[in-house]
Amino acid sequence: VMIGVMQNGDDYDFVGRYSLSDNMYLSVQTPTEDATDNMTLGVGTSINVWEGLYIEPNYTTTDGEGSFNVGLSYKL
């Protein structure tokens, strides 16, 4: 489980991530204002490409509209 806060413009969002297995996760991101109306839910996977460097393709949805994204992460 990962819980955190990230800056989104002048405001802040709460973020969370729950590991389903070693490489699959569910995610949620919600602003501090109108949280339930603007919540983003997602599912993704982590693919190790080199010594702790991961490519993370994921699919997120807000208000019924989805998007496919690809991120990079480094795990210590």
Side-chain angles (χ1 to χ4, degrees):
V1 174
M2 185 273 301
I3 299 172
V5 177
M6 65 182 264
Q7 189 170 4
N8 186 1
D10 292 335
D11 296 324
Y12 290 90
D13 290 357
F14 293 111
V15 293
R17 188 162 156 167
Y18 178 76
S19 294
L20 298 172
S21 67
D22 286 342
N23 61 351
M24 295 281 303
Y25 62 87
L26 297 175
S27 64
V28 63
Q29 179 177 344
T30 185
T32 53
E33 295 180 13
D34 300 325
T36 56
D37 294 335
N38 298 312
M39 187 179 295
T40 301
L41 301 173
V43 62
T45 187
S46 296
I47 303 166
N48 188 355
V49 291
W50 183 69
E51 297 183 12
L53 180 64
Y54 290 79
I55 294 177
E56 297 192 339
N58 61 70
Y59 181 80
T60 58
T61 182
T62 303
D63 294 331
E65 294 193 19
S67 65
F68 178 77
N69 307 291
V70 177
L72 290 175
S73 69
Y74 186 79
K75 295 182 183 178
L76 301 173

